[in-house]
Amino acid sequence: MALRPQVVGFALLVGVLSWSLLGCSETERRKTELLIKVDTKAETAEDNFSLGQIYENQGKWGLSIYYYDLSLRFDPSQRDMQAGTVKSIKDSGDAAGAKEAADRAIGQVSQSAAQSLGLAMAFQKLSLDDYALTCYTQALTLAPNSSRTNMKMGYYYLSKNDKQRAKEYLARSFQINPGQWDVADELGRLGVPVRIPPKTGIENKAK
């Protein structure tokens, strides 16, 4: 675990003014602004998450993990932040630590289909496919008749070019809720004939 960076507000303020004169990059300006907020305890979960992203992009894994973890202390339900923490640990070369963090996050949502689905989507956005699939499966176990969860699982498999499994889950989603025009269109492109009910003027959304 990285130690909290020793930040001096006055020095940071001088740095901001100096960088503005020297034409410092926008990223460095943004990072300094966020560090000032942290130093004055005026930061939000999103501020710490942004710092985690900046440090991750700079390859400073210890700082990245530290700020991702700090953001979770503000709001443990932030799924993007949880996924970001796992990715940062994994990218630092600590596969075991990443798995431990992922298992902990997955366990925290193990009683909620909606939260499992949210975490699955967050993992998928960061190409953490094994963890994403675990969460999608968990969400479906908790809510097998959710058209939205079946739809998301179908699109997950479609993104992996597994068209057969994509068909199965999208067809299941459409069977549960036949008012999904986007799912019907996708099934049509996959060669699955569907009967679309007449439009009612109100688009049905997946449950």
Side-chain angles (χ1 to χ4, degrees):
M1 177 65 68
L3 295 176
R4 181 181 178 94
Q6 296 301 311
V7 181
V8 180
F10 178 75
L12 286 172
L13 181 58
V14 171
V16 171
L17 296 174
S18 300
W19 289 345
S20 65
L21 294 175
L22 295 174
C24 183
S25 72
E26 183 62 31
T27 298
E28 288 299 319
R29 290 197 192 96
R30 175 62 176 157
K31 182 172 72 175
T32 302
E33 291 170 358
L34 291 169
L35 287 172
I36 289 174
K37 293 180 73 174
V38 170
D39 186 56
T40 58
K41 302 188 184 302
E43 83 273 30
T44 64
E46 289 73 19
D47 292 332
N48 284 293
F49 183 67
S50 295
L51 278 169
Q53 289 181 310
I54 290 171
Y55 283 122
E56 181 177 358
N57 291 335
Q58 294 176 342
K60 298 178 179 178
W61 310 117
L63 287 169
S64 174
I65 293 167
Y66 171 79
Y67 281 107
Y68 277 138
D69 184 63
L70 199 60
S71 71
L72 287 174
R73 296 181 194 176
F74 277 80
D75 187 354
S77 69
Q78 292 292 326
R79 305 306 166 207
D80 285 340
M81 296 175 188
Q82 288 178 306
T85 298
V86 173
K87 184 177 187 302
S88 192
I89 297 172
K90 181 181 178 182
D91 289 348
S92 74
D94 186 0
K99 184 179 185 305
E100 182 180 348
D103 288 345
R104 183 167 57 250
I106 294 169
Q108 288 173 354
V109 300
S110 62
Q111 301 301 312
S112 170
Q115 292 182 26
S116 295
L117 183 60
L119 186 57
M121 294 164 64
F123 279 138
Q124 186 179 353
K125 282 192 294 185
L126 296 180
S127 299
L128 297 169
D129 293 336
D130 289 344
Y131 302 132
L133 185 56
T134 297
C135 287
Y136 279 127
T137 302
Q138 180 169 278
L140 272 174
T141 299
L142 292 166
N145 294 321
S146 164
S147 61
R148 177 174 172 76
T149 303
N150 279 277
M151 175 190 68
K152 290 297 183 181
M153 180 70 103
Y155 279 122
Y156 169 81
Y157 279 119
L158 193 60
S159 73
K160 304 306 170 189
N161 204 34
D162 188 339
K163 295 183 178 179
Q164 184 56 45
R165 287 184 176 175
K167 287 180 187 179
E168 292 174 8
Y169 285 103
L170 290 174
R172 174 61 176 157
S173 177
F174 188 76
Q175 180 184 32
I176 296 167
N177 179 5
Q180 301 176 85
W181 290 82
D182 53 343
V183 175
D185 287 342
E186 196 62 62
L187 285 170
R189 285 190 286 271
L190 290 170
V192 179
V194 294
R195 182 176 181 276
I196 304 174
K199 287 187 177 181
T200 62
I202 301 176
E203 183 180 351
N204 292 324
K205 296 183 179 180
K207 293 186 282 186

